[in-house]
Amino acid sequence: MTHRVLISGCSGGGKSTLLAELAARGYAVVEEPGRRIVDEERNGAGTALPWVDMARFAQRALDRSRDDIQQTDHLPGPVFFDRGLIDAAVALAHADNVPLATTLRPDRPYADPIFLAPPWPEIFRQDAARRHDMASAIGEFERLTIAFAELGYATSHLPKAPVSQRADFVLDTLGIA
């Protein structure tokens, strides 16, 4: 079983806040590839931005996610990922009709379950890197939910609760609390 734990789900659903809490508790975490790409592209006047060229952005996120996996393989588990390879593959499939089987290898890069942040309108906020609205975020959540099921992953919905309770939930579910 892999030691990689994926936190996925709805954009603006509190994933990054949860990862920060897990990091504060001493666990290894990998920041969201998309946010890092947006920062790089905006600082360098690039065009691989989701609101400019979603397919190019998704391809960069795929490449970055593969690098993230490779760079963390030596770490003792668990390693928590804020989005990752499957999220990027789903984005590319949506943007450019590239089948998941084309972008994903048959191996399973993440452990079961995948933790999903459900849509949570009360905490959703747009910002310079998250320009889409709640309806788009819900559509993304639905595509991810379908993809994880098609790929045979078990999923677990994060509770809509304070971040400390969410972190406890994740650790309890994994049996490492």
Side-chain angles (χ1 to χ4, degrees):
M1 180 183 212
T2 181
H3 65 281
R4 294 180 223 111
V5 179
L6 183 62
I7 311 292
S8 183
C10 193
S11 181
K15 295 178 301 299
S16 297
T17 302
L18 173 58
L19 269 281
E21 174 71 15
L22 291 167
R25 293 182 184 198
Y27 292 98
V29 300
V30 177
E31 293 179 12
E32 179 184 350
R35 285 269 180 177
R36 289 180 280 155
I37 293 165
V38 167
D39 288 345
E40 292 166 8
E41 292 293 302
R42 290 178 69 218
N43 289 333
T47 59
L49 295 162
W51 54 87
V52 175
D53 187 345
M54 177 55 101
R56 188 163 171 235
F57 169 80
Q59 185 59 58
R60 284 218 38 217
L62 273 167
D63 295 340
R64 178 66 54 92
S65 296
R66 286 186 182 108
D67 289 345
D68 289 343
I69 287 170
Q70 184 179 16
Q71 291 176 13
T72 59
D73 270 346
H74 70 283
L75 298 175
V79 178
F80 294 94
F81 289 76
D82 184 350
R83 296 201 181 267
L85 191 61
I86 298 169
D87 299 75
V90 169
L92 186 59
H94 180 68
D96 213 20
N97 293 316
V98 178
L100 293 179
T102 301
T103 54
L104 297 175
R105 298 179 185 116
D107 62 328
R108 295 169 58 86
Y110 304 104
D112 278 320
I114 303 293
F115 291 94
L116 294 177
W120 195 353
E122 294 81 8
I123 67 168
F124 179 86
R125 298 289 179 270
Q126 292 175 303
D127 60 31
R130 183 187 299 126
R131 294 185 178 184
H132 56 276
D133 60 11
M134 187 68 197
S136 297
I138 291 170
E140 173 191 39
F141 175 80
E142 291 168 352
R143 288 188 296 277
L144 287 165
T145 300
I146 291 166
F148 289 124
E150 287 175 355
L151 294 169
Y153 278 99
T155 57
S156 180
H157 285 231
L158 295 169
K160 291 181 179 178
V163 67
S164 62
Q165 289 177 21
R166 282 182 143 194
D168 291 344
F169 173 81
V170 168
L171 297 174
D172 288 344
T173 300
L174 296 173
I176 56 175

